[in-house]
């Protein structure tokens, strides 16, 4: 799953600011994959952006695998925000 997350982060480099991506990479590089994904989703949902060349079934797989519905660290509402964001993209 870490490789799928890495691919997602790489695809978001072009649509998110460098500071946000650097924070995501920080967590990823320290094996804090759940925090990297959550941080990435916070940035994507806040910006209303998405990587147009990414398979969203894989994104769903990551969100479920890392259990962001129950294990959020930064934003306890990230699951609800993710669901709403998915409906508009």
């Amino acid at each position: 799953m870490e490789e799928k997350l890495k691919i997602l982060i790489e695809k978001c480099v072009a649509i998110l600011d460098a500071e946000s991506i650097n924070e995501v990479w920080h967590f990823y590089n320290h094996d804090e994959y759940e925090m990297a994904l959550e941080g990435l989703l916070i940035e994507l949902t806040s910006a209303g952006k998405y990587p147009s060349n990414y398979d969203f079934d894989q994104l769903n797989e990551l969100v479920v695998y890392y259990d962001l519905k129950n294990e959020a660290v930064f934003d306890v509402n990230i699951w609800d925000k993710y669901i709403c964001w998915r409906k508009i993209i």
Side-chain angles (χ1 to χ4, degrees), residues 23-61:
E23 288 181 27
V24 171
W25 280 126
H26 169 82
F27 291 115
Y28 182 88
N29 291 329
H30 287 89
D31 300 332
E32 297 287 352
Y33 306 115
E34 300 88 349
M35 294 169 71
L37 178 58
E38 184 180 352
L40 189 61
L41 286 178
I42 289 169
E43 295 301 325
L44 290 171
T45 58
S46 295
K49 296 180 179 180
Y50 62 93
S52 60
N53 56 350
Y54 188 73
D55 180 352
F56 283 98
D57 289 336
Q58 288 186 10
L59 178 58
N60 283 333
E61 186 179 3

Side-chain angles (χ1 to χ4, degrees), residues 43-83:
E43 295 301 325
L44 290 171
T45 58
S46 295
K49 296 180 179 180
Y50 62 93
S52 60
N53 56 350
Y54 188 73
D55 180 352
F56 283 98
D57 289 336
Q58 288 186 10
L59 178 58
N60 283 333
E61 186 179 3
L62 286 168
V63 171
V64 170
Y65 179 82
Y66 290 117
D67 198 21
L68 291 186
K69 183 175 184 178
N70 300 307
E71 298 294 327
V73 174
F74 304 119
D75 184 346
V76 295
N77 297 313
I78 193 60
W79 176 260
D80 294 331
K81 291 176 182 178
Y82 170 70
I83 296 300

